[in-house]
Amino acid sequence: MGLFSFIKDAGAKLFGGSESAEEKATKVQNHLNKYNFDLSNVKVSVNGDTVTVSGEAKNIDEKQKILATAGNVEGITNVEDKLTLKEALKIEIPDIQKTMYTVQSGDTLSKISKEVYGDPNKYQKIFEANKPMLSDPDKIYPGQVLYIPQD
């Protein structure tokens, strides 16, 4: 649970500018639906430039992907995490703040992989964790927030 920051002018272009909070929430929910997440117990609301995601996520990986996808929307600067987990974990839950990475100018998945794992060749792990939001390992942009799975 927490609040995550995103770049306001980066991400999927979902809003036209005159939508109500309810219409924005529906657009974000529809955007999440495109990625085949289990959203049966997930609710999205929007207040200004903040998306709140509440309910239950299937597991920690899906939770992180939902949060990253909801935040990578143009016009959104914060995602408030109110998700719990359906699956009981037998492992320690990672510090969620450490599992999100904001892409900087000049970054590549290999560079990010070297920074977080110490091995540039593990970039595929980051790419796979961010599918289908990422369609190509070479197509990331500054301001995009990626989910970094624990090694």
Side-chain angles (χ1 to χ4, degrees):
M1 310 266 178
L3 188 67
F4 300 95
S5 297
F6 291 80
I7 304 296
K8 187 172 189 164
D9 297 326
K13 294 169 183 21
L14 304 182
F15 309 139
S18 61
E19 296 93 345
S20 67
E22 293 79 21
E23 290 169 324
K24 286 182 177 182
T26 298
K27 287 185 176 188
V28 173
Q29 185 85 33
N30 290 340
H31 180 62
L32 292 170
N33 283 333
K34 292 190 300 188
Y35 298 105
N36 297 317
F37 300 128
D38 177 1
L39 301 174
S40 56
N41 295 310
V42 174
K43 182 179 184 306
V44 174
S45 62
V46 176
N47 183 7
D49 60 0
T50 299
V51 171
T52 301
V53 185
S54 57
E56 280 187 325
K58 183 173 106 177
N59 56 42
I60 189 70
D61 285 331
E62 188 147 303
K63 175 180 177 170
Q64 297 297 77
K65 290 177 185 181
I66 290 169
L67 296 174
T69 303
N72 282 309
V73 171
E74 188 176 67
I76 298 300
T77 60
N78 296 295
V79 173
E80 186 174 3
D81 168 21
K82 292 188 175 181
L83 287 172
T84 58
L85 300 175
K86 285 182 189 177
E87 294 181 3
L89 294 177
K90 294 184 170 99
I91 59 170
E92 184 179 324
I93 295 176
D95 178 351
I96 293 176
Q97 295 286 352
K98 293 179 182 175
T99 63
M100 298 289 198
Y101 180 90
T102 302
V103 177
Q104 305 297 314
S105 181
D107 275 348
T108 63
L109 288 185
S110 292
K111 182 178 176 185
I112 296 167
S113 175
K114 181 171 174 54
E115 183 176 326
V116 298
Y117 300 130
D119 182 353
N121 295 319
K122 289 188 176 182
Y123 75 91
Q124 194 69 25
K125 185 174 187 172
I126 299 169
F127 176 66
E128 290 297 324
N130 287 280
K131 275 180 157 180
M133 188 174 57
L134 295 180
S135 59
D136 184 309
D138 296 324
K139 293 186 179 177
I140 61 173
Y141 54 85
Q144 185 175 33
V145 178
L146 301 175
Y147 164 51
I148 306 296
Q150 299 300 294
D151 196 24

